[in-house]
Amino acid sequence: MADVSTIALEAKSPYELRVHLGDAVPEQSVREALASGDMGFLHSYTTGSTVDGPGVRLVAWTTGCQWRCQYCHNPDTWTMSNGIPISVAKATETLSKYRHGLKAMAGGLTLSGGDPLMQHRFAVKLLAAAKSLGIHTTIETNGAYHEKLSDAELDVIDLVMLGIKTFDARRHRALTGQDNGPTLEFARRLAARRKPIWIRFVLVPGLTDDLEDLARTAEFAAGLGNVERVEVLPFHQLGRFKWERLGLDYALRDAAPPLQELTEQALTILRQAGLKAF
Ligand code: SF4
């Protein structure tokens, strides 16, 4: 196993493959940490991101996700013990070093993953610490575990970047292995609390390019009233090597990125529904 003490938590890119970094933590300690939120597991963090929320962001990539999206570009984040164990105190100390810069660049902290709500106690504690430092907070999530958060805990999150993979329930299950009901429920819950949402939608030719399905997503999103923008993310193959190195069966090995024309069609559908789409 790798010597965790020699591995930098800061990564040049989230595309670094990281495995087994938390294996040495006894299972009982993992359970206690998850229950208290005093310790979490991070794949890595990156600084200077301009694509993970408003302004310039510090992004902490958590490990743990129970979904199995066919196009996932970070499958090494699925397993919690692949991440480096870190106390919430240590993570807060690192965060506080960046606070002036983040504020000056109208940015903040983004928790992404994996899915940050797999470690919801840790996520809440870290986000609350960020808030107390005056730092804007964002989580990027599939929303499946939103019920773990109370309404008061939701208040430590300024913005939710919600992944809507596809609208049709059957297609969603085939794409991710999970139901999209909780994701849509979370969107409605956030709407009721007037919490801003940015929707993320990954466009994969032959997989998520059913334009009628996208029109239903657009109608749903536009009806919520709290969706500030929708980001259409063209599929790419940057995560392919991770699937191969992890010995996973990658169904999209020959899939191509969408043509510009398809991306434009998707954006038009979203904009016609009254959404700001990019
Ligand atoms: S929800 Fe995100 S981290 Fe989880 S499998 Fe899907 S793309 Fe990957």
Side-chain angles (χ1 to χ4, degrees):
M1 199 193 94
D3 177 1
V4 176
S5 64
T6 65
I7 295 172
L9 191 53
E10 183 170 10
K12 290 192 183 69
S13 143
Y15 296 111
E16 284 181 22
L17 179 78
R18 295 182 168 206
V19 290
H20 302 310
L21 301 178
D23 279 359
V25 183
E27 213 178 306
Q28 179 64 17
S29 306
V30 173
R31 270 201 294 272
E32 285 167 11
L34 290 175
S36 70
D38 289 338
M39 186 184 81
F41 291 85
L42 292 185
H43 172 277
S44 56
Y45 73 86
T46 50
T47 53
S49 168
T50 54
V51 295
D52 295 291
V56 178
R57 322 267 325 162
L58 172 69
V59 188
W61 307 90
T62 61
T63 46
C65 183
Q66 289 178 329
W67 288 26
R68 295 293 176 263
C69 302
Q70 289 185 36
Y71 55 63
C72 183
H73 57 236
N74 282 320
D76 51 338
T77 63
W78 291 350
T79 307
M80 203 169 299
S81 59
N82 277 350
I84 298 178
I86 181 165
S87 69
V88 78
K90 179 75 188 160
T92 304
E93 191 187 310
T94 303
L95 183 59
S96 71
K97 286 185 197 151
Y98 291 99
R99 76 180 141 163
H100 298 302
L102 293 174
K103 280 188 222 168
M105 292 180 287
L109 169 70
T110 299
L111 281 191
S112 187
D115 195 287
L117 297 186
M118 284 286 288
Q119 304 184 45
H120 68 290
R121 306 273 16 115
F122 175 73
V124 165
K125 283 194 173 176
L126 187 54
L127 293 164
K131 291 294 288 174
S132 68
L133 292 167
I135 295 172
H136 178 275
T137 57
T138 296
I139 62 163
E140 183 180 2
T141 178
N142 59 37
Y145 316 109
H146 76 95
E147 284 187 338
K148 292 179 175 180
L149 299 188
S150 67
D151 286 346
E153 287 171 337
L154 272 185
D155 288 341
V156 300
I157 306 168
D158 293 315
L159 169 72
V160 175
M161 299 179 81
L162 186 64
I164 295 190
K165 317 290 182 180
T166 188
F167 203 79
D168 177 80
R170 186 186 46 80
R171 200 176 283 137
H172 190 276
R173 182 162 266 285
L175 173 65
T176 68
Q178 302 288 335
D179 292 328
N180 61 358
T183 303
L184 304 180
E185 222 173 74
F186 188 34
R188 292 189 196 98
R189 182 180 174 198
L190 293 168
R193 298 187 62 75
R194 301 195 177 160
K195 181 76 66 185
I197 296 178
W198 289 10
I199 287 175
R200 287 193 139 179
F201 171 76
V202 180
L203 183 59
V204 193
L207 198 62
T208 66
D209 61 350
D210 182 308
L211 299 181
E212 276 181 30
D213 192 79
L214 182 59
R216 291 177 64 205
T217 305
E219 190 188 354
F220 171 78
L224 292 170
N226 61 330
V227 175
E228 293 185 344
R229 63 155 73 189
V230 182
E231 295 180 345
V232 175
L233 309 176
F235 168 73
H236 58 69
Q237 287 284 9
L238 291 174
R240 176 176 164 165
F241 82 97
K242 289 193 175 184
W243 286 75
E244 291 171 352
R245 294 268 298 279
L246 293 168
L248 298 166
D249 184 19
Y250 185 43
L252 302 188
R253 74 181 66 81
D254 298 319
L259 296 174
Q260 185 61 28
E261 193 187 339
L262 178 60
T263 306
E264 288 301 331
Q265 278 180 304
L267 290 169
T268 299
I269 287 170
L270 293 160
R271 287 171 186 156
Q272 281 175 345
L275 296 158
K276 285 186 186 155
F278 302 92

